[in-house]
Amino acid sequence: MSKDKSQRPLDIEAFQRIRKWYLFALAGIAITIILAQVLIQNHLNNQLDDFRIINVAGRQRALSQKLVKEILLLKDSKNTHEEQTLHTEIKKALSKWTTSHDALQFGNDSMGLFPKNNVEIKELFHKITPHHTTMVTAVNNILKKTGELKYFTTSEYRENSSILLHNERIFLVQMDAIVNAYDQQSKRDLQNLKNKEYLLLAFSLLILVLEILFIFKPLSLQIRNTISKLIKHKSESDETAKKIKELYSEKEKSLQELQELNFVIDNAALFASAREDGSIVFISKKFIQLLNSTSKDLKKPLQEVLTKDGGQQKYLAEILKGNRRNSIRNEEIAITTRENKTIWLAMSIVPMHQSSQQQSILILCSDITERKKHALQVDKLTKEKFEEKILQKKRQASQIVEGQEEERKRIAKDIHDGIGQMLTALKFNIESIDIENKDKTIEKIAYLKELTRDLIKGVRTATFNLTPPELSDHGILPALQKMTSELSKLTGKNILFDSKVENNLRFDSLAETNIYRVTQEAINNAIKYAESNYILLTINYTDNILSVVIDDDGKGFNPAILKEAPKNSSEGGMGLFFMKERISYINGRLFINSIPEEGTRVTINYNTDKE
């Protein structure tokens, strides 16, 4: 930690140095951008001047041609008005021509033209000026004679016209040279600007390279080191936080212990101190409030302050006098206050040994009146609940016995009505066989075979309903699969079996037997009463919960019937009672959901963790 603290000023100095260089780099780039903008704007302004100059120079050619054309037209004018109009146009063109010529050389603020310090252009203007002056003189000479019709046929007009035409050709050629010179100068200025731009670009790139080498790279290394230090500090902070958390946990634990101690002290706030003769030395305010005593009462012996009942006072006096040994005595005593209110106190009598060899006692009490009342109520409720449970067990035992009797009657009825009648018919048919009557004998033997098959089928059904061997040998899953297969064959119903359990599982034998019987009862009810086309038995085992679901598409029923129907009725009474009793016996749960005309679902859930 001391090493990190010593390095911290160096880190700050490095950051400040990098920040200074970074500001210098940004300033350099900003200056470069500003210079580039100044150069570009200056060049754009120069370009605008060049465009105006080139435009004026090009217009000079057009004006010279216009002057020559209108001078020639002046000769062919037909009337004075036309001549006067041409005269006016020639004067305007001549004025503009001469003004533009001077502006190109010396500048003109009104036209936005400024003189160019170009030797080549000045030399070209020096060459073209005599021709321009000669043309101006010739035009003025012709304009002076305007109105004299005979003048246009004289040699003087022809001479001036010839001078004008001769000099115009030279003027046009040299004016083209001037325009080209202006264009070349503009190109040179543009090239100079490009060179300056390249220089500024190179300077900017150099600054960026220097920033990368001397600013960003050291800064990235500094940031990486800082991040690694931060990660290290974070781990140290986490370790410190962990220790603080442990200290905080210890603090909470100590606070909890202190709170428990305060609770004990608060509950032991009923205390008093008495001398050997029973006189009171000190008694707490809470004790006084509980006993509803006054300051006058405190002058009496402690036993008289505690209760007004004479017998209780004698008992307390014996206890207080008899506790002069080193042991602590604990008593639960009922006292009677001045308002004839009975209060139960848990009293601890502690002997105190003083230097004067005179013994005294310290009495610590707790008001346990409510606890005593609640204990009496709990005892009463426990006794009532025990009696109710015994009564319920008696009723259940009676109902189970009744159910067993009903099951025996049903089995006896099935044997008597089914197997017994078939045996009787078998006996009579065997006795009625006449060996001499072969045709009748063959018919009776065929009938006896069919009757025997039905008898075997009935015996198999009765024995199958009693105890299937698959249940004890292989477990609940194979037994239920066998039951659905056999019942489907015996009844002709579509009874399907769907197991979502991959491996065969074994459970407590009592649980397997009860689940099997409840499932059997549910399927038999669906066969007998539901008028269903399909019955589906689904088994699933998830999170230690065995779930058996019996679905049918029968006529269903109103679930309210289960609550209203008597227990011995056919619609779920006794059968449903025994189904619930069997599932409750193994701590399972039974759910029955049914919708009229849509079908019924019976769900059995068994938690294997409770085995």
Side-chain angles (χ1 to χ4, degrees), residues 221-483:
L221 294 175
Q222 190 70 26
I223 291 172
R224 185 182 301 171
N225 294 332
T226 304
I227 291 173
S228 62
K229 292 178 182 178
L230 288 174
I231 293 173
K232 181 180 178 181
H233 291 323
K234 182 180 180 300
S235 62
E236 293 176 354
S237 300
D238 292 340
E239 187 67 25
T240 305
K242 185 178 179 181
K243 293 180 180 178
I244 292 173
K245 187 176 180 181
E246 292 176 355
L247 293 175
Y248 183 77
S249 178
E250 292 294 330
K251 177 186 174 183
E252 289 291 329
K253 185 177 179 181
S254 300
L255 182 60
Q256 181 68 25
E257 292 176 353
L258 182 60
Q259 289 176 347
E260 293 175 357
L261 181 60
N262 289 335
F263 178 77
V264 172
I265 294 175
D266 290 339
N267 283 278
L270 300 176
F271 61 92
S273 176
R275 298 185 182 90
E276 188 175 1
D277 57 357
S279 59
I280 299 173
V281 177
F282 179 80
I283 186 169
S284 66
K285 293 181 179 180
K286 189 173 182 180
F287 213 162
I288 295 173
Q289 292 173 357
L290 178 65
L291 300 174
N292 198 17
S293 300
T294 62
S295 57
K296 294 181 181 180
D297 297 330
L298 299 181
K299 297 178 180 179
K300 300 177 182 180
L302 181 59
Q303 60 270 18
E304 296 181 10
V305 176
L306 292 176
T307 179
K308 73 171 187 176
D309 184 83
Q312 293 176 348
Q313 290 178 359
K314 291 181 180 179
Y315 180 70
L316 286 172
E318 291 296 328
I319 292 176
L320 298 177
K321 290 180 181 179
N323 200 71
R324 298 308 183 193
R325 299 183 300 274
N326 293 330
S327 61
I328 299 174
R329 181 171 180 175
N330 297 313
E331 292 280 345
E332 288 186 358
I333 301 173
I335 63 174
T336 304
T337 63
R338 297 181 181 277
E339 292 80 12
N340 292 322
K341 181 180 178 182
T342 301
I343 298 176
W344 280 89
L345 295 178
M347 184 180 296
S348 296
I349 304 172
V350 182
M352 305 293 293
H353 300 277
Q354 299 177 351
S355 59
S356 61
Q357 299 300 321
Q358 292 181 355
Q359 289 186 330
S360 62
I361 57 173
L362 177 66
I363 301 174
L364 303 176
C365 299
S366 296
D367 187 358
I368 59 171
T369 306
E370 293 296 325
R371 192 187 75 184
K372 283 290 185 179
K373 290 180 180 179
H374 292 323
L376 292 173
Q377 292 179 356
V378 169
D379 292 340
K380 183 179 179 182
L381 292 174
T382 302
K383 182 178 179 182
E384 292 177 355
K385 186 176 181 181
F386 178 75
E387 292 175 353
E388 177 64 23
K389 191 172 182 180
I390 293 298
L391 183 60
Q392 183 179 3
K393 289 295 183 181
K394 289 180 179 180
R395 288 197 299 265
Q396 289 180 352
S398 176
Q399 291 170 348
I400 291 172
V401 171
E402 183 182 353
Q404 290 175 345
E405 290 299 324
E406 291 292 329
E407 184 69 14
R408 290 190 182 97
K409 290 179 182 179
R410 185 185 65 79
I411 295 172
K413 185 174 181 300
D414 290 341
I415 294 174
H416 179 271
D417 295 344
I419 299 173
Q421 291 181 2
M422 284 188 287
L423 288 172
T424 302
L426 182 64
K427 174 179 176 297
F428 288 151
N429 278 276
I430 292 173
E431 291 176 350
S432 63
I433 293 175
D434 186 2
I435 300 175
E436 294 180 357
N437 192 345
K438 293 182 179 180
D439 295 334
K440 289 290 183 178
T441 300
I442 292 173
E443 292 179 1
K444 287 186 178 183
I445 290 173
Y447 177 72
L448 288 174
K449 289 180 180 179
E450 183 178 354
L451 188 61
T452 303
R453 283 195 299 270
D454 293 339
L455 180 60
I456 294 171
K457 182 178 179 181
V459 172
R460 286 180 60 190
T461 302
T463 56
F464 179 77
N465 287 331
L466 289 174
T467 303
E470 288 80 10
L471 184 61
S472 58
D473 294 341
H474 304 290
I476 185 66
L477 301 183
L480 291 177
Q481 185 177 10
K482 180 69 174 179
M483 178 181 68

Side-chain angles (χ1 to χ4, degrees), residues 49-65:
D49 293 340
D50 293 342
F51 290 155
R52 282 193 291 269
I53 290 172
I54 293 171
N55 185 27
V56 172
R59 190 177 63 185
Q60 285 295 89
R61 300 175 74 259
L63 288 173
S64 65
Q65 292 175 346

